């Protein structure tokens, strides 16, 4: 059996730029990754501890309270209706699902999987692990006569912050259904719209009353600071979710019981979500202005946790320019060849570190 050749882990290549940034007086301002820095809300921590004495195996499908809380939150926060509770499946964060989903759906050699032109690197990894073929495309027109087996969309996008409108999403769904293509929407940043209100692929205005062939991936890492808990879920077409559930039962891919309880609390706590949104909104406001004032252009970035920024030069040159100022960013090349002149600048730093970055950009 041949070993799958995977690309190098992108962030490992930032070691030299990171060392330069760390040497700056006042230390490093790391805006290269999307790791939450704010505390987990007390209501969620209390929920986690409340069931810590339970010794038995958790259920792969998730406790009924978790599935009900997810359905309620999708409806209350995003206007999603008509998803049965059986079609909610908790995942160990979202990354493990993204990396394994093409294979878990039964795709492999001979299948074509489409990902966005500028995309979260793990989409590509999932295709490679499945042994399927990869195509980067932002438009179904670019596919010509090719019929993919699976198509990834990401709105709001990581890294660009681009939001796909209802008409665009509806056309993708209609096109895919005519060709029996599974559409998977990464919606991990759905609750973080700033200049545009993101819409789920599971919204009735998009799917027209049928969930067939559709999956949406959700995460609580960003909206509830639960990256350390590894808390996410996938939902959509009941048949597709049932198939994933069977595979995950056999594989032991189970969200720990205390984490499931914490997810219930997070999905019910709209006030905590609002507080976190305000933190990110403030950081975005001051950092965006500082970047524009220092000569950057910002593309898209109407939602999510990143400012997709360019100085009109090579992404690596911009990374080096920022590192000279003690700031670390991710080059757009991490996300595909089309990102070669942009950098992704994250909002996930403390207020003090964001303010420090603003001061350094101004000077």
């Amino acid at each position: 059996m041949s070993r799958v050749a995977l690309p190098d882990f992108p962030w490992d290549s930032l070691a030299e730029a990171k060392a330069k940034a760390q040497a700056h007086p006042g230390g490093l301002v790391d805006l290269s990754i999307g790791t939450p820095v704010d505390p987990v809300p007390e209501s969620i921590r209390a929920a986690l501890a409340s069931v810590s004495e339970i010794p038995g195996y958790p259920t792969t499908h998730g406790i009924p309270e978790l599935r009900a809380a997810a359905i309620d939150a999708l409806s209350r926060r995003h206007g999603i209706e008509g998803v049965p509770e059986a079609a909610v499946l908790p995942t160990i964060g979202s990354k493990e699902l993204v990396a394994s989903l093409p294979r878990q759906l039964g795709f492999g050699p001979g299948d074509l999987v489409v990902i966005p032109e500028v995309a979260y690197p793990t989409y590509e990894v999932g295709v490679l692990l499945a042994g399927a073929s990869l195509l980067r495309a932002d438009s179904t027109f670019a596919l010509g006569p090719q019929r993919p087996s699976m198509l990834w969309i990401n709105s709001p996008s990581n890294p660009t912050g681009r939001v796909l409108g209802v008409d665009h999403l509806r056309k993708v769904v209609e096109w895919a259904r005519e060709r029996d293509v599974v559409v998977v929407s990464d919606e991990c940043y759905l609750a973080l719209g700033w200049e545009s209100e993101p819409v789920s692929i599971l919204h009735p205005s998009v799917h027209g009353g049928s969930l067939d062939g559709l999956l949406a991936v959700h995460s609580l890492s960003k909206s509830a600071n639960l990256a350390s808990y590894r808390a996410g879920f996938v939902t959509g077409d009941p048949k597709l979710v049932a198939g994933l559930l069977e595979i995950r039962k056999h594989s032991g891919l189970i969200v720990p019981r205390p984490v499931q309880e914490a997810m219930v609390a997070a999905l019910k706590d709209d006030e905590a979500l609002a507080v976190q949104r305000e933190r990110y909104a403030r950081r975005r406001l001051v950092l965006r202005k500082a970047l524009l004032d220092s000569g950057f252009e910002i593309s898209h970035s109407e939602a999510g946790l990143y400012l997709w920024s360019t100085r009109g030069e090579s992404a690596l040159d911009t990374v080096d320019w920022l590192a000279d100022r003690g700031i670390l960013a991710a080059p757009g090349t991490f996300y595909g060849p089309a990102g070669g002149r942009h950098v992704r600048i994250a909002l996930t730093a403390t207020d003090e570190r964001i303010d420090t970055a603003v001061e350094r950009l101004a000077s």
Side-chain angles (χ1 to χ4, degrees), residues 188-233:
C188 291
Y189 298 86
L190 195 65
L192 299 173
W194 310 118
E195 298 166 10
S196 181
E197 187 63 36
V199 178
S200 171
I201 199 171
L202 303 183
H203 194 279
S205 64
V206 174
H207 64 60
S210 172
L211 300 174
D212 291 355
L214 306 179
L215 290 173
V217 178
H218 286 261
S219 168
L220 296 175
S221 293
K222 316 301 184 184
S223 59
N225 296 328
L226 293 193
S228 67
Y229 286 42
R230 310 313 300 133
F233 64 92

mmCIF file of all heavy atoms in Angstrom, residues 188-233:
data_model
loop_
_atom_site.group_PDB
_atom_site.id
_atom_site.type_symbol
_atom_site.label_atom_id
_atom_site.label_comp_id
_atom_site.label_asym_id
_atom_site.label_seq_id
_atom_site.Cartn_x
_atom_site.Cartn_y
_atom_site.Cartn_z
ATOM 1 N N CYS A 188 -18.323 27.526 9.470
ATOM 2 C CA CYS A 188 -17.756 27.717 10.800
ATOM 3 C C CYS A 188 -17.741 29.186 11.237
ATOM 4 O O CYS A 188 -17.637 29.476 12.432
ATOM 5 C CB CYS A 188 -16.340 27.152 10.853
ATOM 6 S SG CYS A 188 -16.293 25.342 10.737
ATOM 7 N N TYR A 189 -17.851 30.119 10.283
ATOM 8 C CA TYR A 189 -17.828 31.548 10.607
ATOM 9 C C TYR A 189 -19.197 32.198 10.377
ATOM 10 O O TYR A 189 -19.301 33.414 10.278
ATOM 11 C CB TYR A 189 -16.760 32.253 9.769
ATOM 12 C CG TYR A 189 -15.364 31.745 10.043
ATOM 13 C CD1 TYR A 189 -14.857 30.634 9.371
ATOM 14 C CD2 TYR A 189 -14.552 32.358 10.983
ATOM 15 C CE1 TYR A 189 -13.591 30.158 9.623
ATOM 16 C CE2 TYR A 189 -13.277 31.884 11.255
ATOM 17 C CZ TYR A 189 -12.798 30.782 10.572
ATOM 18 O OH TYR A 189 -11.533 30.304 10.840
ATOM 19 N N LEU A 190 -20.239 31.396 10.320
ATOM 20 C CA LEU A 190 -21.560 31.897 9.952
ATOM 21 C C LEU A 190 -22.080 32.960 10.913
ATOM 22 O O LEU A 190 -22.818 33.866 10.514
ATOM 23 C CB LEU A 190 -22.555 30.727 9.889
ATOM 24 C CG LEU A 190 -23.881 30.988 9.177
ATOM 25 C CD1 LEU A 190 -23.668 31.251 7.688
ATOM 26 C CD2 LEU A 190 -24.821 29.796 9.353
ATOM 27 N N ALA A 191 -21.705 32.897 12.172
ATOM 28 C CA ALA A 191 -22.203 33.843 13.173
ATOM 29 C C ALA A 191 -21.404 35.141 13.220
ATOM 30 O O ALA A 191 -21.692 36.008 14.048
ATOM 31 C CB ALA A 191 -22.183 33.191 14.556
ATOM 32 N N LEU A 192 -20.415 35.285 12.330
ATOM 33 C CA LEU A 192 -19.501 36.423 12.406
ATOM 34 C C LEU A 192 -19.557 37.272 11.141
ATOM 35 O O LEU A 192 -18.542 37.518 10.485
ATOM 36 C CB LEU A 192 -18.079 35.922 12.686
ATOM 37 C CG LEU A 192 -17.910 35.156 14.003
ATOM 38 C CD1 LEU A 192 -16.520 34.559 14.099
ATOM 39 C CD2 LEU A 192 -18.197 36.050 15.203
ATOM 40 N N GLY A 193 -20.756 37.714 10.792
ATOM 41 C CA GLY A 193 -20.920 38.645 9.685
ATOM 42 C C GLY A 193 -20.763 40.074 10.169
ATOM 43 O O GLY A 193 -21.281 40.437 11.232
ATOM 44 N N TRP A 194 -20.066 40.912 9.378
ATOM 45 C CA TRP A 194 -19.842 42.308 9.764
ATOM 46 C C TRP A 194 -20.526 43.256 8.779
ATOM 47 O O TRP A 194 -21.456 43.957 9.119
ATOM 48 C CB TRP A 194 -18.334 42.598 9.842
ATOM 49 C CG TRP A 194 -17.580 41.594 10.658
ATOM 50 C CD1 TRP A 194 -16.584 40.759 10.245
ATOM 51 C CD2 TRP A 194 -17.758 41.300 12.054
ATOM 52 N NE1 TRP A 194 -16.147 39.953 11.263
ATOM 53 C CE2 TRP A 194 -16.841 40.273 12.391
ATOM 54 C CE3 TRP A 194 -18.599 41.809 13.049
ATOM 55 C CZ2 TRP A 194 -16.739 39.752 13.685
ATOM 56 C CZ3 TRP A 194 -18.504 41.285 14.327
ATOM 57 C CH2 TRP A 194 -17.591 40.274 14.635
ATOM 58 N N GLU A 195 -20.064 43.251 7.550
ATOM 59 C CA GLU A 195 -20.627 44.134 6.533
ATOM 60 C C GLU A 195 -21.666 43.418 5.675
ATOM 61 O O GLU A 195 -22.321 44.039 4.839
ATOM 62 C CB GLU A 195 -19.509 44.673 5.643
ATOM 63 C CG GLU A 195 -18.486 45.498 6.395
ATOM 64 C CD GLU A 195 -17.232 45.739 5.579
ATOM 65 O OE1 GLU A 195 -17.243 45.430 4.369
ATOM 66 O OE2 GLU A 195 -16.238 46.243 6.142
ATOM 67 N N SER A 196 -21.802 42.134 5.876
ATOM 68 C CA SER A 196 -22.742 41.324 5.112
ATOM 69 C C SER A 196 -23.258 40.221 6.014
ATOM 70 O O SER A 196 -22.531 39.715 6.871
ATOM 71 C CB SER A 196 -22.047 40.730 3.877
ATOM 72 O OG SER A 196 -22.932 39.966 3.118
ATOM 73 N N GLU A 197 -24.516 39.842 5.840
ATOM 74 C CA GLU A 197 -25.120 38.807 6.675
ATOM 75 C C GLU A 197 -25.031 37.460 5.962
ATOM 76 O O GLU A 197 -25.712 37.227 4.966
ATOM 77 C CB GLU A 197 -26.578 39.142 6.969
ATOM 78 C CG GLU A 197 -27.226 38.198 7.980
ATOM 79 C CD GLU A 197 -26.556 38.256 9.356
ATOM 80 O OE1 GLU A 197 -26.129 39.354 9.756
ATOM 81 O OE2 GLU A 197 -26.458 37.201 10.003
ATOM 82 N N PRO A 198 -24.193 36.554 6.448
ATOM 83 C CA PRO A 198 -24.052 35.250 5.796
ATOM 84 C C PRO A 198 -25.339 34.430 5.882
ATOM 85 O O PRO A 198 -26.101 34.534 6.849
ATOM 86 C CB PRO A 198 -22.922 34.585 6.584
ATOM 87 C CG PRO A 198 -22.236 35.690 7.314
ATOM 88 C CD PRO A 198 -23.288 36.707 7.598
ATOM 89 N N VAL A 199 -25.552 33.598 4.874
ATOM 90 C CA VAL A 199 -26.725 32.728 4.806
ATOM 91 C C VAL A 199 -26.263 31.280 4.669
ATOM 92 O O VAL A 199 -25.366 30.978 3.883
ATOM 93 C CB VAL A 199 -27.638 33.107 3.625
ATOM 94 C CG1 VAL A 199 -28.832 32.160 3.545
ATOM 95 C CG2 VAL A 199 -28.107 34.549 3.755
ATOM 96 N N SER A 200 -26.874 30.390 5.417
ATOM 97 C CA SER A 200 -26.525 28.977 5.361
ATOM 98 C C SER A 200 -27.086 28.327 4.103
ATOM 99 O O SER A 200 -28.151 28.700 3.601
ATOM 100 C CB SER A 200 -27.080 28.254 6.593
ATOM 101 O OG SER A 200 -26.936 26.846 6.465
ATOM 102 N N ILE A 201 -26.382 27.317 3.649
ATOM 103 C CA ILE A 201 -26.881 26.526 2.530
ATOM 104 C C ILE A 201 -28.145 25.762 2.921
ATOM 105 O O ILE A 201 -28.927 25.343 2.059
ATOM 106 C CB ILE A 201 -25.796 25.563 2.025
ATOM 107 C CG1 ILE A 201 -26.107 25.082 0.605
ATOM 108 C CG2 ILE A 201 -25.616 24.381 2.977
ATOM 109 C CD1 ILE A 201 -24.988 24.317 -0.033
ATOM 110 N N LEU A 202 -28.382 25.629 4.236
ATOM 111 C CA LEU A 202 -29.575 24.935 4.723
ATOM 112 C C LEU A 202 -30.755 25.879 4.947
ATOM 113 O O LEU A 202 -31.803 25.445 5.429
ATOM 114 C CB LEU A 202 -29.249 24.194 6.030
ATOM 115 C CG LEU A 202 -28.111 23.177 5.973
ATOM 116 C CD1 LEU A 202 -27.960 22.472 7.308
ATOM 117 C CD2 LEU A 202 -28.321 22.169 4.854
ATOM 118 N N HIS A 203 -30.601 27.139 4.590
ATOM 119 C CA HIS A 203 -31.712 28.083 4.716
ATOM 120 C C HIS A 203 -32.749 27.787 3.635
ATOM 121 O O HIS A 203 -32.393 27.478 2.489
ATOM 122 C CB HIS A 203 -31.210 29.520 4.571
ATOM 123 C CG HIS A 203 -32.199 30.551 5.006
ATOM 124 N ND1 HIS A 203 -33.233 30.975 4.188
ATOM 125 C CD2 HIS A 203 -32.327 31.243 6.173
ATOM 126 C CE1 HIS A 203 -33.951 31.886 4.834
ATOM 127 N NE2 HIS A 203 -33.431 32.064 6.042
ATOM 128 N N PRO A 204 -34.032 27.849 3.971
ATOM 129 C CA PRO A 204 -35.074 27.532 2.973
ATOM 130 C C PRO A 204 -34.978 28.357 1.698
ATOM 131 O O PRO A 204 -35.329 27.869 0.613
ATOM 132 C CB PRO A 204 -36.379 27.832 3.725
ATOM 133 C CG PRO A 204 -36.032 27.640 5.170
ATOM 134 C CD PRO A 204 -34.611 28.107 5.302
ATOM 135 N N SER A 205 -34.483 29.591 1.785
ATOM 136 C CA SER A 205 -34.355 30.420 0.589
ATOM 137 C C SER A 205 -33.313 29.879 -0.375
ATOM 138 O O SER A 205 -33.296 30.234 -1.556
ATOM 139 C CB SER A 205 -33.979 31.850 0.974
ATOM 140 O OG SER A 205 -32.701 31.906 1.583
ATOM 141 N N VAL A 206 -32.448 28.997 0.124
ATOM 142 C CA VAL A 206 -31.388 28.416 -0.708
ATOM 143 C C VAL A 206 -31.785 27.040 -1.219
ATOM 144 O O VAL A 206 -31.693 26.758 -2.419
ATOM 145 C CB VAL A 206 -30.064 28.320 0.084
ATOM 146 C CG1 VAL A 206 -29.003 27.579 -0.736
ATOM 147 C CG2 VAL A 206 -29.571 29.705 0.469
ATOM 148 N N HIS A 207 -32.246 26.158 -0.321
ATOM 149 C CA HIS A 207 -32.451 24.762 -0.729
ATOM 150 C C HIS A 207 -33.842 24.482 -1.284
ATOM 151 O O HIS A 207 -34.092 23.391 -1.809
ATOM 152 C CB HIS A 207 -32.125 23.804 0.409
ATOM 153 C CG HIS A 207 -33.002 23.923 1.621
ATOM 154 N ND1 HIS A 207 -34.354 23.726 1.598
ATOM 155 C CD2 HIS A 207 -32.691 24.176 2.923
ATOM 156 C CE1 HIS A 207 -34.861 23.858 2.804
ATOM 157 N NE2 HIS A 207 -33.864 24.143 3.643
ATOM 158 N N GLY A 208 -34.769 25.437 -1.162
ATOM 159 C CA GLY A 208 -36.082 25.267 -1.788
ATOM 160 C C GLY A 208 -36.943 24.186 -1.177
ATOM 161 O O GLY A 208 -37.824 23.641 -1.848
ATOM 162 N N GLY A 209 -36.688 23.828 0.099
ATOM 163 C CA GLY A 209 -37.546 22.861 0.768
ATOM 164 C C GLY A 209 -37.008 21.448 0.837
ATOM 165 O O GLY A 209 -37.671 20.567 1.384
ATOM 166 N N SER A 210 -35.807 21.221 0.303
ATOM 167 C CA SER A 210 -35.222 19.883 0.333
ATOM 168 C C SER A 210 -33.772 19.958 0.783
ATOM 169 O O SER A 210 -32.994 20.790 0.297
ATOM 170 C CB SER A 210 -35.277 19.230 -1.052
ATOM 171 O OG SER A 210 -34.537 18.014 -1.066
ATOM 172 N N LEU A 211 -33.408 19.071 1.709
ATOM 173 C CA LEU A 211 -32.036 18.985 2.184
ATOM 174 C C LEU A 211 -31.205 17.978 1.393
ATOM 175 O O LEU A 211 -30.018 17.786 1.680
ATOM 176 C CB LEU A 211 -32.019 18.583 3.663
ATOM 177 C CG LEU A 211 -32.732 19.518 4.640
ATOM 178 C CD1 LEU A 211 -32.750 18.901 6.038
ATOM 179 C CD2 LEU A 211 -32.049 20.878 4.674
ATOM 180 N N ASP A 212 -31.791 17.349 0.394
ATOM 181 C CA ASP A 212 -31.108 16.288 -0.349
ATOM 182 C C ASP A 212 -29.770 16.767 -0.909
ATOM 183 O O ASP A 212 -29.679 17.829 -1.548
ATOM 184 C CB ASP A 212 -31.979 15.807 -1.514
ATOM 185 C CG ASP A 212 -33.212 15.050 -1.062
ATOM 186 O OD1 ASP A 212 -33.339 14.809 0.155
ATOM 187 O OD2 ASP A 212 -34.050 14.715 -1.925
ATOM 188 N N GLY A 213 -28.726 15.981 -0.639
ATOM 189 C CA GLY A 213 -27.409 16.252 -1.208
ATOM 190 C C GLY A 213 -26.642 17.380 -0.555
ATOM 191 O O GLY A 213 -25.592 17.776 -1.057
ATOM 192 N N LEU A 214 -27.124 17.884 0.588
ATOM 193 C CA LEU A 214 -26.498 19.040 1.220
ATOM 194 C C LEU A 214 -26.006 18.712 2.623
ATOM 195 O O LEU A 214 -26.702 18.058 3.402
ATOM 196 C CB LEU A 214 -27.482 20.210 1.308
ATOM 197 C CG LEU A 214 -28.172 20.657 0.018
ATOM 198 C CD1 LEU A 214 -29.132 21.801 0.318
ATOM 199 C CD2 LEU A 214 -27.147 21.055 -1.034
ATOM 200 N N LEU A 215 -24.816 19.202 2.959
ATOM 201 C CA LEU A 215 -24.278 19.107 4.303
ATOM 202 C C LEU A 215 -23.697 20.458 4.700
ATOM 203 O O LEU A 215 -23.116 21.159 3.863
ATOM 204 C CB LEU A 215 -23.174 18.052 4.394
ATOM 205 C CG LEU A 215 -23.581 16.583 4.273
ATOM 206 C CD1 LEU A 215 -22.336 15.700 4.201
ATOM 207 C CD2 LEU A 215 -24.458 16.156 5.452
ATOM 208 N N ALA A 216 -23.859 20.817 5.963
ATOM 209 C CA ALA A 216 -23.261 22.031 6.497
ATOM 210 C C ALA A 216 -22.402 21.665 7.704
ATOM 211 O O ALA A 216 -22.838 20.904 8.575
ATOM 212 C CB ALA A 216 -24.338 23.043 6.905
ATOM 213 N N VAL A 217 -21.193 22.208 7.745
ATOM 214 C CA VAL A 217 -20.236 21.931 8.813
ATOM 215 C C VAL A 217 -20.178 23.148 9.733
ATOM 216 O O VAL A 217 -19.978 24.281 9.276
ATOM 217 C CB VAL A 217 -18.841 21.638 8.240
ATOM 218 C CG1 VAL A 217 -17.842 21.403 9.365
ATOM 219 C CG2 VAL A 217 -18.896 20.432 7.304
ATOM 220 N N HIS A 218 -20.342 22.920 11.034
ATOM 221 C CA HIS A 218 -20.343 24.004 12.008
ATOM 222 C C HIS A 218 -19.316 23.737 13.102
ATOM 223 O O HIS A 218 -18.995 22.595 13.413
ATOM 224 C CB HIS A 218 -21.733 24.154 12.637
ATOM 225 C CG HIS A 218 -22.731 24.768 11.717
ATOM 226 N ND1 HIS A 218 -23.075 26.099 11.778
ATOM 227 C CD2 HIS A 218 -23.423 24.230 10.681
ATOM 228 C CE1 HIS A 218 -23.963 26.367 10.826
ATOM 229 N NE2 HIS A 218 -24.196 25.248 10.150
ATOM 230 N N SER A 219 -18.819 24.823 13.680
ATOM 231 C CA SER A 219 -17.824 24.740 14.749
ATOM 232 C C SER A 219 -18.153 25.758 15.822
ATOM 233 O O SER A 219 -18.656 26.844 15.530
ATOM 234 C CB SER A 219 -16.426 25.025 14.183
ATOM 235 O OG SER A 219 -15.492 25.216 15.225
ATOM 236 N N LEU A 220 -17.841 25.413 17.070
ATOM 237 C CA LEU A 220 -17.984 26.348 18.182
ATOM 238 C C LEU A 220 -16.641 26.931 18.610
ATOM 239 O O LEU A 220 -16.558 27.664 19.587
ATOM 240 C CB LEU A 220 -18.653 25.646 19.367
ATOM 241 C CG LEU A 220 -20.095 25.188 19.100
ATOM 242 C CD1 LEU A 220 -20.634 24.394 20.281
ATOM 243 C CD2 LEU A 220 -20.999 26.373 18.813
ATOM 244 N N SER A 221 -15.582 26.630 17.861
ATOM 245 C CA SER A 221 -14.249 27.110 18.217
ATOM 246 C C SER A 221 -14.172 28.625 18.211
ATOM 247 O O SER A 221 -13.591 29.237 19.109
ATOM 248 C CB SER A 221 -13.208 26.537 17.253
ATOM 249 O OG SER A 221 -13.089 25.151 17.406
ATOM 250 N N LYS A 222 -14.732 29.258 17.188
ATOM 251 C CA LYS A 222 -14.585 30.699 17.029
ATOM 252 C C LYS A 222 -15.685 31.460 17.772
ATOM 253 O O LYS A 222 -15.412 32.445 18.455
ATOM 254 C CB LYS A 222 -14.627 31.078 15.548
ATOM 255 C CG LYS A 222 -13.803 30.182 14.641
ATOM 256 C CD LYS A 222 -12.333 30.144 15.005
ATOM 257 C CE LYS A 222 -11.543 29.322 14.006
ATOM 258 N NZ LYS A 222 -10.140 29.157 14.339
ATOM 259 N N SER A 223 -16.920 31.026 17.629
ATOM 260 C CA SER A 223 -18.039 31.779 18.194
ATOM 261 C C SER A 223 -18.142 31.642 19.711
ATOM 262 O O SER A 223 -18.684 32.522 20.381
ATOM 263 C CB SER A 223 -19.352 31.328 17.545
ATOM 264 O OG SER A 223 -19.573 29.950 17.745
ATOM 265 N N ALA A 224 -17.625 30.549 20.277
ATOM 266 C CA ALA A 224 -17.735 30.317 21.723
ATOM 267 C C ALA A 224 -16.387 30.054 22.394
ATOM 268 O O ALA A 224 -16.349 29.626 23.541
ATOM 269 C CB ALA A 224 -18.682 29.146 21.986
ATOM 270 N N ASN A 225 -15.273 30.285 21.651
ATOM 271 C CA ASN A 225 -13.922 30.086 22.212
ATOM 272 C C ASN A 225 -13.659 28.644 22.633
ATOM 273 O O ASN A 225 -12.942 28.397 23.600
ATOM 274 C CB ASN A 225 -13.675 31.022 23.400
ATOM 275 C CG ASN A 225 -13.693 32.470 22.997
ATOM 276 O OD1 ASN A 225 -13.319 32.822 21.877
ATOM 277 N ND2 ASN A 225 -14.152 33.329 23.885
ATOM 278 N N LEU A 226 -14.231 27.677 21.908
ATOM 279 C CA LEU A 226 -14.122 26.276 22.312
ATOM 280 C C LEU A 226 -13.101 25.486 21.492
ATOM 281 O O LEU A 226 -13.233 24.272 21.347
ATOM 282 C CB LEU A 226 -15.487 25.586 22.221
ATOM 283 C CG LEU A 226 -16.563 26.063 23.198
ATOM 284 C CD1 LEU A 226 -17.731 25.089 23.217
ATOM 285 C CD2 LEU A 226 -16.014 26.240 24.602
ATOM 286 N N ALA A 227 -12.082 26.170 20.966
ATOM 287 C CA ALA A 227 -11.082 25.438 20.177
ATOM 288 C C ALA A 227 -10.438 24.316 20.994
ATOM 289 O O ALA A 227 -10.186 23.231 20.477
ATOM 290 C CB ALA A 227 -10.021 26.404 19.655
ATOM 291 N N SER A 228 -10.182 24.555 22.273
ATOM 292 C CA SER A 228 -9.537 23.526 23.100
ATOM 293 C C SER A 228 -10.478 22.375 23.425
ATOM 294 O O SER A 228 -10.027 21.290 23.787
ATOM 295 C CB SER A 228 -9.018 24.145 24.402
ATOM 296 O OG SER A 228 -10.085 24.568 25.224
ATOM 297 N N TYR A 229 -11.786 22.598 23.301
ATOM 298 C CA TYR A 229 -12.754 21.546 23.605
ATOM 299 C C TYR A 229 -12.960 20.597 22.418
ATOM 300 O O TYR A 229 -13.448 19.489 22.600
ATOM 301 C CB TYR A 229 -14.110 22.162 23.964
ATOM 302 C CG TYR A 229 -14.215 22.803 25.322
ATOM 303 C CD1 TYR A 229 -13.193 23.605 25.839
ATOM 304 C CD2 TYR A 229 -15.347 22.630 26.092
ATOM 305 C CE1 TYR A 229 -13.306 24.208 27.077
ATOM 306 C CE2 TYR A 229 -15.476 23.236 27.337
ATOM 307 C CZ TYR A 229 -14.450 24.021 27.828
ATOM 308 O OH TYR A 229 -14.574 24.622 29.049
ATOM 309 N N ARG A 230 -12.635 21.052 21.212
ATOM 310 C CA ARG A 230 -12.880 20.312 19.965
ATOM 311 C C ARG A 230 -14.370 20.017 19.841
ATOM 312 O O ARG A 230 -14.859 18.909 20.082
ATOM 313 C CB ARG A 230 -12.072 19.004 19.880
ATOM 314 C CG ARG A 230 -10.588 19.120 20.166
ATOM 315 C CD ARG A 230 -9.917 20.297 19.419
ATOM 316 N NE ARG A 230 -10.037 20.196 17.971
ATOM 317 C CZ ARG A 230 -10.421 21.218 17.179
ATOM 318 N NH1 ARG A 230 -10.761 22.389 17.690
ATOM 319 N NH2 ARG A 230 -10.493 21.030 15.887
ATOM 320 N N ALA A 231 -15.129 21.035 19.475
ATOM 321 C CA ALA A 231 -16.589 20.962 19.483
ATOM 322 C C ALA A 231 -17.156 21.473 18.164
ATOM 323 O O ALA A 231 -17.049 22.659 17.860
ATOM 324 C CB ALA A 231 -17.144 21.785 20.637
ATOM 325 N N GLY A 232 -17.747 20.567 17.398
ATOM 326 C CA GLY A 232 -18.380 20.943 16.151
ATOM 327 C C GLY A 232 -19.509 19.983 15.832
ATOM 328 O O GLY A 232 -19.778 19.049 16.590
ATOM 329 N N PHE A 233 -20.167 20.222 14.705
ATOM 330 C CA PHE A 233 -21.178 19.270 14.259
ATOM 331 C C PHE A 233 -21.415 19.437 12.771
ATOM 332 O O PHE A 233 -21.091 20.473 12.173
ATOM 333 C CB PHE A 233 -22.486 19.405 15.046
ATOM 334 C CG PHE A 233 -23.209 20.728 14.890
ATOM 335 C CD1 PHE A 233 -24.189 20.904 13.906
ATOM 336 C CD2 PHE A 233 -22.933 21.793 15.737
ATOM 337 C CE1 PHE A 233 -24.863 22.108 13.772
ATOM 338 C CE2 PHE A 233 -23.604 23.008 15.616
ATOM 339 C CZ PHE A 233 -24.571 23.169 14.628
#
